[in-house]
Amino acid sequence: MKIVSYAIAAGLAVASFTTTASAADITGAGATFPFPIYAKWAEAYNKETSNRLNYQSIGSSGGIRQIRAKTVDFGATDAPLKGEELQKDGFVQFPAVMGGVVAVYNVQGVSAGQLKLTGEVLADIFNGKISKWNDAKIAQANQGVTLPNASITPVYRSDGSGTTSVFTTYLSQVSETWKSGPGVGASVQWPVGQGGKGNEGVAALVKQVPNSIGYVEYAYAKQNSIPFAQLQNKNGKFVSPEAKTFQAAAANADWKSAPGYGISLTNQAGDEAWPITAPTFILVPKNPEKPEQVAEALKFFDWSFKNGDKMAVELDYVPLPAQLKDQVRATWKSEIKNASGQPVFTQ
Amino acid sequence: MVALSQERLVSSAAAPARRSPPPSFDRLFRLASLASALLVLIVLLGIIGSMIYGGLPAFREFGFGFITSSVWNVNEDQYGAWVAIVGTLTTALIALVIGVPLSLGIAIFLTQLCPPWLKRPVATTIELLAAVPSIIYGMWGLFVFAPLFANYVQIPVSNIVEGMPIIGTILYARTPSGVGILTAGIILAIMIIPFIASIARDILDQIPSVLRESAYGIGCTTWEVVRNVLLPQAGVSIIGAIMLGLGRALGETMAVTFVVGNANRLSGSLFDPGSTIASRIANEFNEAIGLQLNALMALGCILFLVTFTVLVLARLLVSRVKVG
Amino acid sequence: MDTALQHRTATEPTTAPAPWGRVRRSRHVADRALKIICTLFTILGAFFLGWILLMLIVEGIGGLSPAVFTETTPGPGSQGGGIANAIVGSLILTVLGIVVATPVGVLAGTYLAEYGKSSKLAEVIRFVNDILLAAPSILIGLFVYMLMVQPMGGYSGWAGGVALAIIAVPVIVRTTEDMLRLVPGSLREAGAALGAPMSTVIIKISWKAARAGMVTGVLLATARIAGETAPLLFTALNNNFWFNPNLMGGVANLPVMIYQFALSPYENWRELAWAGALIITMSILALSIVARLLLRKDKVR
């Protein structure tokens, strides 16, 4: 009896807490790479329109699975789907924002920005071939920095991750041993180290475990004040991750060269280019079963394109160039249609 | 017996009693009870069925090799359960090796050595260890225990055993971060203490005190009473209690996921990260599709089989013990 | 006899007997060792519990504030916010689980104690119940995922509630059966002698007599499911805002929220995770203590 009345009371409490039914609820899931900026956009969007975006950052592979299973309105992934996959699943893919992956570390006596790494050294660290911080190969690029005689703990993603995809794409481009070893993928066979869940998990582990090194999207390093390394880019220059270097990498992107805008921006030429830059993508069904929900999701991204640039730059993401945004909107209008052939996005 | 014959008398009575419910309600009630009881059975069969159904494609694809293969490559859709199985069994074994002596010691303390006024608070304290949610154990393990373990155990021990033959592999930490198979085993040990201790305590309490007292009567010390009278008498049931603890350790998810390090590879060292079946499923399920999903279900199948066997053995060895 | 004794005492040295009497030293050492080790182990057990509680209090108290109970989860790194949606969500999921589990559990336990007794079917069901009681909760989450989440096309509070119910039922079945078994048969026979049918005997006599124990069972089941994380990972997932009143889509809940926030690098999220951990642990411990107090009143030992 008591239990039943408590249940009723709880139900009433919930009903009284929820806002009016006219506010839309959008659900999305996927990449942890853009989560900080999506969360900021969602907060601002909610303030202005009282529509809610519930984004579960469960990793790119999780996002792909959820949108395939139709359990969310849109999926988010850093690893773009190929043309055939897009055809098969009936998705439309478009970029939302760009960012950079950085190598974060926690080494006694080496402060933020002091550590310089080349692509090959980075690959060898994660491959297990370089196992101590004061190894000659690391010291070579870091004259004047005292590196401790300690074992390196690499930290990688334990879940299927677009960030891993981007990172391993870069490692394969700069290291033959990596290419023929673990290779490229959202989830690879890491020879050494331990796994953390999501960009958040890796950031948290690196912060906590001494003498560790991991890879995270730049916003995670910045927001949590974790030291990150300079990397040597294709032109041989050591650059620091920041909006300027990300933009330099994205400057010569040919967005039409892959279906669904699915290009890669790693290891781009340019003196100022950050070597591990990447766009992150959104997946929506071409002919959605719930067109109103997808319409709301597209409205959110449209709003973010119009109003979210400043917030993106604050977190050191790179907003899409205006021309690209128009192209994306045209794609929405021409490709996402409801059951009666009308475009879902009508702005 | 009596009630049944009364039932027949009632239904054949000419005028039913004023407040007696109609016989149809009685039948309905009995039916509802039977249905609820059968529901329990159906749920278990459902769980087994869904595990097998989900895991079958993986078993068919890899055959028996699924169990012995240590590959887990998502890109190439090659899966093998060996790493997870070894991790599960190793952590559970460590948990037993550490937890069983602790539990038995506590049970002996509570039944033989504890003054009466102390019994209830101490018993409650130990039982409260079981009430702490497993995620809290995980947090404690990762944020409090792991750093201490790394600094005070892993690094010194690694320095000592470096280069030695067998021990040099088992106890050497290449990346001393505090998490790993051994840490997971230790946390599991603490988690299973309340289960084994409370069952062992019940078993020891149930031994007729005349046996104890006659042993004391001929001058045995407490240790001799425990060793020569109580433990042999409890014998098989204690093994059952241990198996119950083992079942718990095999299936524990959250605490292990925090501290086992999530590495999909086999390693010779206890200090290295690894993974267990439960932690693997927890980590990868929400993003798995196709064969990976089937492989995870197949892992769940294997876990269920192992836990089922252990629980059946436990059930046969120990007569029903109190819950909670 | 007397002479032998006198003879012996005459030839023994006249030093005082050893403190352990005429027992062989090694026996005494072994006995001492046992006592010390057992006491040490017990202190160790209590020490771990104290350490964990201390950790929760130290880390969690700082994050507690009225806002924790009234505001929803904030974005990463944003100021303010609370975990109200997680707390309410957990309450709802737990209540849902118990509401579903109690009728099934009580009726099943009643069947086992009153109707089935020692029949073959009852033995099998008891056995199955014991297995379910100790089954890994993550497998139950997988089962409910296949049963409800996939067909329904999404995460939902209903699936979460059902998963929790499946975990709670065996606990309630066991305690109900155990408590009903303790009711003396003479009470039942008295009822039957007055002409009451089985259902009335059970409802008005057995249940009434075992009431306290059955309530304890429900409380223990509640304590057990309130802290479960694994089954909710695949059924109710989580939600960063207030969830839908119809419980479709993710439902915020404390365990999964703690799991996500504790492993994140954001300070405000970690503070909230500790606060949530403190709240949930204290609630469960309080519930367990209350349940055990009730149980002890009832125990026939």
Side-chain angles (χ1 to χ4, degrees), chain C residues 219-231:
Chain C
L219 286 180
L220 283 176
T222 312
R224 166 107 190 249
I225 65 177
E228 285 284 346
T229 323

Side-chain angles (χ1 to χ4, degrees), chain B residues 59-122:
Chain B
F59 283 121
R60 244 179 307 174
E61 173 80 17
F62 303 110
F64 187 73
F66 182 70
I67 300 185
T68 51
S69 156
S70 46
V71 170
W72 191 272
N73 196 329
V74 180
N75 284 343
E76 296 170 23
D77 259 353
Q78 290 292 324
Y79 303 105
W82 188 239
V83 175
I85 294 178
V86 167
T88 310
L89 292 178
T90 322
T91 48
L93 199 68
I94 296 174
L96 283 188
V97 163
I98 299 178
V100 167
L102 284 175
S103 313
L104 289 182
I106 295 176
I108 294 172
F109 176 83
L110 278 174
T111 51
Q112 311 299 319
L113 305 171
C114 188
W117 54 270
L118 201 53
K119 240 186 220 189
R120 191 168 300 178
V122 171

Side-chain angles (χ1 to χ4, degrees), chain C residues 177-213:
Chain C
E177 194 203 340
D178 285 349
M179 290 301 126
L180 285 178
R181 279 253 189 92
L182 287 176
V183 174
S186 48
L187 282 179
R188 291 194 192 84
E189 287 163 12
L194 289 175
M198 267 292 255
S199 53
T200 316
V201 169
I202 295 175
I203 297 178
K204 292 216 192 317
I205 297 180
S206 305
W207 281 6
K208 264 226 175 106
R211 197 176 34 202

Side-chain angles (χ1 to χ4, degrees), chain A residues 4-38:
Chain A
V4 173
S5 50
Y6 280 146
I8 298 178
L12 287 175
V14 172
S16 65
F17 270 126
T18 51
T19 52
T20 57
S22 59
D25 266 320
I26 318 162
T27 50
T32 58
F33 181 97
F35 177 55
I37 186 57
Y38 290 170

